[in-house]
Amino acid sequence: MEKLNDFINWIKNNGWKITLKNNDIKNLPQNVFERYDIPIEYKQFLENIGTCVNANENVWFLCIDDYLPKPEDAFR
């Protein structure tokens, strides 16, 4: 978690907007982590960050909510 905390501090100090994950956003299914070799640091990121976007809101990290299934009429 130390690397994640360092990253959060760095990104905030560089003008990014970040929100921590709230309880209504689910985790990725365990089979995703079993199927793909996801580094522990990125797993921690996905489990703890709700949104992460630059100041201009034209660059962002994909977070858990971006990976979850959406209704057919949702933005893809």
Side-chain angles (χ1 to χ4, degrees):
M1 288 294 287
E2 184 177 340
K3 285 185 181 183
L4 179 61
N5 290 331
D6 290 344
F7 175 74
I8 290 171
N9 289 330
W10 180 88
I11 208 157
K12 284 181 178 178
N13 291 332
N14 285 279
W16 284 64
K17 301 174 201 172
I18 190 167
T19 59
L20 298 179
K21 188 176 139 199
N22 57 34
N23 291 336
D24 65 335
I25 299 175
K26 297 179 174 33
N27 288 325
L28 281 177
Q30 185 60 36
N31 66 341
V32 172
F33 295 110
E34 293 168 359
R35 183 173 181 182
Y36 301 102
D37 186 22
I38 299 174
I40 187 69
E41 292 86 358
Y42 190 57
K43 184 176 188 248
Q44 290 173 344
F45 174 87
L46 290 173
E47 291 173 343
N48 291 282
I49 304 301
T51 62
C52 188
V53 61
N54 72 345
N56 293 329
E57 296 186 2
N58 61 359
V59 178
W60 57 89
F61 284 84
L62 294 177
C63 295
I64 289 281
D65 195 42
D66 298 306
Y67 292 105
L68 296 176
K70 305 277 189 282
E72 286 187 30
D73 60 343
F75 178 75
R76 294 179 189 233

